[in-house]
Amino acid sequence: VAVFRDRMDAAWAHGVASADPGAPLVDQVVHAFGVVFDMWELSPELMNTYLKVMPFVSLPARADIHAGVRQHMAHLNELLERARSSGALARTVSTEVLAVNLYAFYFHHLQRGAAGHVTPAQARQELRASVELQLQHLVPRRRRS
């Protein structure tokens, strides 16, 4: 779990850092999630084991996993803060709450794929649809010139 958590942390950091800040926010978020999904597709057995074990790990490993999840959401929050600063996200949105919501979508769709309920491609499509719906009224509309 610890080894995989290190890989997950690196994937999250890379996903957020490599998201194009000039792209629509939906694309930035989906890109960040996509880096983690890429890791899942490269090591499905390892990801599936991690997803099965993660909720039931005993202390102190559980505390480490919770710290990892908080780190992943902090990376996601960083992306959202960057978007809000650039005007791509409404200023009134709590980026911390939005990060939790988006992370929940990501985790749900990742679990569905890992459990075999959908293919990785379907999980990605469903995740994108969830992100689009969540951000629908949170992204300011551009004024027409």
Side-chain angles (χ1 to χ4, degrees):
V1 170
V3 169
F4 195 69
R5 191 198 135 197
D6 289 343
R7 289 185 186 179
M8 290 286 285
D9 292 349
W12 273 100
H14 175 69
V16 168
S18 63
D20 177 4
L25 182 55
V26 168
D27 293 339
Q28 293 179 52
V29 171
V30 170
H31 170 81
F33 291 147
V35 172
V36 179
F37 269 69
D38 290 345
M39 192 175 84
W40 163 42
E41 290 182 61
L42 290 173
S43 304
E45 300 84 17
L46 192 55
M47 177 66 89
N48 292 352
T49 300
Y50 180 78
L51 290 172
K52 288 176 190 173
V53 170
M54 190 178 89
F56 306 105
V57 164
S58 60
L59 290 173
R62 185 178 330 133
D64 187 52
I65 288 172
H66 289 191
V69 169
R70 284 190 301 276
Q71 180 70 29
H72 304 162
M73 284 193 280
H75 286 303
L76 189 52
N77 189 61
E78 174 188 325
L79 185 151
L80 297 171
E81 284 287 340
R82 189 172 64 209
R84 187 166 64 180
S85 295
S86 73
L89 180 65
R91 297 216 179 271
T92 57
V93 173
S94 167
T95 57
E96 294 86 5
V97 173
L98 181 56
V100 170
N101 289 356
L102 293 172
Y103 192 87
F105 289 139
Y106 142 79
F107 197 75
H108 169 75
H109 292 292
L110 187 66
Q111 283 183 316
R112 282 178 41 77
H117 297 295
V118 294
T119 67
Q122 289 169 319
R124 286 176 189 258
Q125 288 174 334
E126 291 175 4
L127 176 58
R128 181 177 186 88
S130 294
V131 172
E132 286 175 346
L133 182 63
Q134 177 70 50
L135 296 179
Q136 184 175 339
H137 297 290
L138 304 179
V139 176
R141 295 184 188 265
R142 301 283 182 215
R143 294 180 189 236
R144 294 184 183 170
S145 338

